[in-house]
Amino acid sequence: MSQQSLTTTPASPSGAGGGGALPRGSRFGAERAFRILATAAGSTVLVIIVAIAAFLIAKAIPSLRADSENFLTFKDWFANESPPTFGIAALAFGTVVTSALALIMAVPVALGIALCLTHYAHRRVASTLGFFIDLLAAVPSVVFGLWGRDYFRGPVSDLSTFLHDNFGWIPIFGSKGPYGASILLGSIVLAIMVLPIVTSLSREVFLQTPKHNEEAALALGATRWEMIRTAVLPYGKPGIIAAVMLGLGRALGETIALALTLGAVYNVSFDLLGISGNTIAANIALKFAEANPTGRSALIASGLVLFAITLVVNVTARAIVYRRREFLGGAA
Amino acid sequence: MAKRIEAVNVSAYYGAFRAIDNISMTIEPKSVTALIGPSGCGKSTFLRSINRMHEVLPGAKVEGQLLIDGQNIYDRDIDVTAVRRTIGMVFQRPNPFPTMSIYDNVVAGLRLNGVRKKSLLDAACEKALRGANLWNEVKDRLNRPGAGLSGGQQQRLCIARAIAVEPQVVLMDEPCSALDPISTLAIEDLIAELKNEYTIVIVTHNMQQAARVSDRTGFFSIDKTGEPGRLIEYDDTAKIFTNPSVKRTEDYITGRFG
Ligand SMILES: Nc1ncnc2c1ncn2[C@@H]1O[C@H](COP(=O)(O)OP(=O)(O)O)[C@@H](O)[C@H]1O
Ligand SMILES: [Mg+2]
């Protein structure tokens, strides 16, 4: 045991030579205790995840048995009826579409702000702006939801009219109205909500770029933007992916803001402007209070699907980061 | 190819602190000039003011004139990026881009200049790596990460990256200080070859190295910490190391000071 540990801990001062016998004993005991502790902590996380999955599955099965439609392809949600008919199709679609749209809008802006804060703005301006961004992250989501529903719907309706009048030939802007509680409204509100998370995480990521790599790019004659493209963005890529994934996690799970701003319509449509849209989490919030036992079980089944979507997203992100690992050295 | 560098009363500041004071010296084309002196005397600062890298740090500024073949690079209408493309730089710590392959590292500067054609990039990559005496060691693994090379190889990779854009001048700031003796020798041999094409300025605090590689040597010093660094003596390397005309230079090279 101690032989083994000596070869695996080159930092050990005894390895560096010097006279006398090699010390034995307690150091390795402490190391072993720490290893056990770390393993235990790691496995606890796994156990909790498995337990949650098992709980969801057990609670979901009764309603899935009772469902007289195909749960995966049916769009509507009549889980309290008898016989209950409900399906995840529209909700899963709405969840993915609103989150994706929110990220498409938020990520470029967030990265732009983060780069501005780290590489362009004067230090004092940057810290003030950073403070306000962090403040935005602290606003509760119900506030965003109410603001979106009561104040932001008007402007978004005007925007919808504009988009339809000018780009109506694109199917996603095809709706003639009425406008209001639409996927557009929901995903813009969602974008504003994920913006601060993605911004402050990617700001941290960009600050980590080694100065000597930035200087290497500048010394080759790069402009500031070229330096960012050569040194900062590639180095930060795993971190940016992680930041986007955390934003996506927030977007996928967002409940109340979307319950307040989407149309709560069970449809599968890429029409962004008309009254439309619903998500798994928003549907749970809207339906839970009035649900009977089968209804609750059905909502839990939908929660299981959300869990699965989040898992797939995270595994994909890991895979992307992992594939490039040898080029990322300490960064990954 | 190579160009003459003329510093005229160059002073450089970090905020209000003046790090070097009134440096004037002329550096001949296709020669190796070594800058020596105790640490903190402003060698790096002066070197970085030759390609306008000094001003990259917040609050840093340069006064005076720096003429490259008669053209003042601190003139208002000068394009900084063009200056830096003309005057390449190799840093103290090898700093290849960690996310890039060996190949991409070498051609990074060319790509920044808008070269896209594969055949041109391939040719330039091979030429630069040969020029940096690295080709034989890496030709079979050009698409492996540059950060996977040994320290000495990484530094030669950085030299290849710097010469791939065919600069006129190559500045080196203690390029061997993080390397083992064998890698150091490899770099010194390389410097002797590069001198045929480029004007080279090298900062070193290894006096044997200065004596081995350079044609002319500038000795910098400071009176005490907090004072700006000054150029004490600048002459042929042989003269500086055998028969310096200033007492302080002699004290330094004989080890009585610094
Ligand atoms: N980034 C910096 N900010 C403030 N002062 C600096 C900075 N870099 C160097 N200095 C100061 O400038 C002086 C010259 O430094 P430098 O040019 O690095 O010396 P050398 O390369 O000869 O060791 C030193 O007093 C040093 O403390
Ligand atoms: Mg230095």
Side-chain angles (χ1 to χ4, degrees):
Chain A
M1 168 64 210
S2 82
Q3 191 70 14
Q4 171 89 37
S5 299
L6 262 179
T7 53
T8 54
T9 47
S12 155
S14 53
L22 293 172
R24 347 191 130 256
S26 62
R27 291 185 42 156
F28 301 116
E31 191 168 308
R32 190 201 224 140
F34 180 74
R35 186 156 50 217
I36 291 170
L37 203 68
T39 317
S43 21
T44 310
V45 174
L46 261 182
V47 168
I48 290 175
I49 290 178
V50 171
I52 292 174
F55 167 82
L56 291 176
I57 292 170
K59 292 284 180 183
I61 284 175
S63 67
L64 291 176
R65 285 240 172 84
D67 193 357
S68 50
E69 290 286 347
N70 184 332
F71 176 68
L72 292 179
T73 57
F74 190 63
K75 293 179 207 153
D76 251 318
W77 198 270
F78 302 112
N80 290 343
E81 318 279 305
S82 50
T85 55
F86 57 91
I88 200 72
L91 296 176
F93 173 84
T95 303
V96 172
V97 166
T98 44
S99 298
L101 277 176
L103 284 181
I104 289 171
M105 290 185 271
V107 169
V109 179
L111 296 184
I113 297 176
L115 280 176
C116 187
L117 294 178
T118 54
H119 287 85
Y120 286 93
H122 193 274
R123 209 173 298 159
R124 201 162 326 125
V125 179
S127 60
T128 315
L129 200 58
F131 173 75
F132 280 108
I133 300 271
D134 289 341
L135 212 59
L136 204 57
V139 176
S141 54
V142 64
V143 175
F144 277 108
L146 291 171
W147 169 78
R149 188 189 68 181
D150 296 341
Y151 295 98
F152 201 47
R153 192 155 49 168
V156 170
S157 297
D158 296 343
L159 176 66
S160 301
T161 311
F162 170 83
L163 288 172
H164 177 71
D165 290 349
N166 292 283
F167 304 100
W169 48 273
I170 307 175
I172 55 173
F173 301 135
S175 168
K176 295 192 180 64
Y179 305 129
S182 61
I183 295 181
L184 185 66
L185 176 63
S187 50
I188 293 179
V189 170
L190 200 53
I192 298 172
M193 295 173 68
V194 300
L195 184 77
I197 302 175
V198 182
T199 305
S200 48
L201 288 172
S202 41
R203 180 182 52 187
E204 294 309 311
V205 169
F206 293 146
L207 283 175
Q208 307 260 315
T209 320
K211 281 280 163 289
H212 62 97
N213 282 320
E214 297 186 6
E215 294 207 330
L218 290 173
L220 285 172
T223 60
R224 196 178 294 225
W225 169 238
E226 288 167 340
M227 178 272 279
I228 287 170
R229 262 182 21 213
T230 315
V232 179
L233 292 180
Y235 187 83
K237 196 161 153 196
I240 297 169
I241 292 175
V244 172
M245 286 307 140
L246 283 172
L248 185 55
R250 165 112 209 233
L252 288 171
E254 178 48 42
T255 305
I256 197 68
L258 289 175
L260 289 167
T261 52
L262 288 176
V265 177
Y266 297 89
N267 61 347
V268 174
S269 153
F270 281 101
D271 164 26
L272 303 189
L273 306 184
I275 309 282
S276 170
N278 207 345
T279 69
I280 296 175
N283 186 58
I284 294 175
L286 292 170
K287 296 278 177 168
F288 204 81
E290 61 183 56
N292 62 23
T294 316
R296 283 192 191 185
S297 168
L299 291 174
I300 287 173
S302 73
L304 194 61
V305 174
L306 183 57
F307 187 72
I309 293 175
T310 317
L311 210 62
V312 168
V313 162
N314 274 309
V315 170
T316 315
R318 292 252 153 223
I320 295 171
V321 174
Y322 188 74
R323 215 184 43 201
R324 298 267 308 161
R325 73 200 176 285
E326 68 176 352
F327 278 95
L328 295 164
Chain B
M1 274 307 287
K3 296 205 171 184
R4 169 179 285 106
I5 305 167
E6 249 181 293
V8 184
N9 298 329
V10 171
S11 300
Y13 299 79
Y14 294 97
F17 171 64
R18 190 197 308 219
I20 52 174
D21 183 35
N22 266 314
I23 310 280
S24 295
M25 67 195 292
T26 302
I27 294 167
E28 295 300 328
K30 297 198 180 181
S31 69
V32 178
T33 300
L35 307 180
I36 61 169
S39 78
C41 68
K43 306 178 296 290
S44 299
T45 306
F46 177 65
L47 195 76
R48 289 166 61 93
S49 61
I50 300 179
N51 66 343
R52 294 192 60 172
M53 280 299 288
H54 177 66
E55 67 204 48
V56 165
L57 301 167
K61 72 169 196 287
V62 175
E63 282 171 0
Q65 289 192 318
L66 223 144
L67 310 172
I68 304 290
D69 271 5
Q71 164 90 279
N72 183 9
I73 61 164
Y74 284 97
D75 268 349
R76 274 177 152 259
D77 54 350
I78 290 281
D79 174 7
V80 186
T81 62
V83 169
R84 294 187 190 139
R85 245 172 275 150
T86 316
I87 308 175
M89 185 161 215
V90 176
F91 295 79
Q92 184 164 356
R93 249 176 77 195
N95 58 357
F97 297 118
T99 56
M100 290 187 196
S101 65
I102 293 170
Y103 181 94
D104 290 337
N105 261 289
V106 177
V107 302
L110 289 164
R111 289 215 169 108
L112 286 172
N113 291 348
V115 182
R116 287 281 172 277
K117 218 168 143 197
K118 180 97 171 47
S119 57
L120 288 180
L121 293 176
D122 287 351
C125 175
E126 178 170 348
K127 184 171 176 222
L129 283 171
R130 281 189 192 283
N133 285 342
L134 190 60
W135 174 252
N136 286 328
E137 287 156 71
V138 302
K139 62 175 182 240
D140 302 321
R141 45 173 171 156
L142 291 176
N143 56 1
R144 306 287 304 156
L149 299 172
S150 75
Q153 290 173 324
Q154 285 188 30
Q155 194 62 301
R156 277 179 284 150
L157 177 61
C158 293
I159 293 176
R161 180 176 65 187
I163 62 179
V165 290
E166 311 206 322
Q168 322 264 337
V169 178
V170 180
L171 308 176
M172 301 186 178
D173 191 353
E174 302 194 25
C176 304
S177 65
L179 306 183
D180 60 273
I182 295 186
S183 310
T184 300
L185 273 185
I187 304 252
E188 287 182 7
D189 290 345
L190 177 56
I191 290 170
E193 288 171 31
L194 291 176
K195 160 174 115 163
N196 298 324
E197 283 187 71
Y198 306 98
T199 306
I200 293 174
V201 185
I202 175 172
V203 169
T204 174
H205 58 215
N206 176 338
M207 281 182 280
Q208 286 78 20
Q209 183 170 65
R212 279 193 300 264
V213 301
S214 70
D215 303 303
R216 290 175 63 83
T217 297
F219 170 59
F220 282 63
S221 195
I222 38 174
D223 295 333
K224 57 177 195 286
T225 40
E227 296 284 308
R230 293 200 173 81
L231 178 62
I232 305 298
E233 185 172 355
Y234 177 47
D235 212 328
D236 288 341
T237 299
K239 174 121 196 313
I240 293 268
F241 283 98
T242 55
N243 184 22
S245 26
V246 182
K247 176 82 171 35
R248 276 173 83 176
T249 315
E250 189 179 342
D251 289 349
Y252 182 73
I253 60 161
T254 55
R256 253 171 286 172
F257 163 74

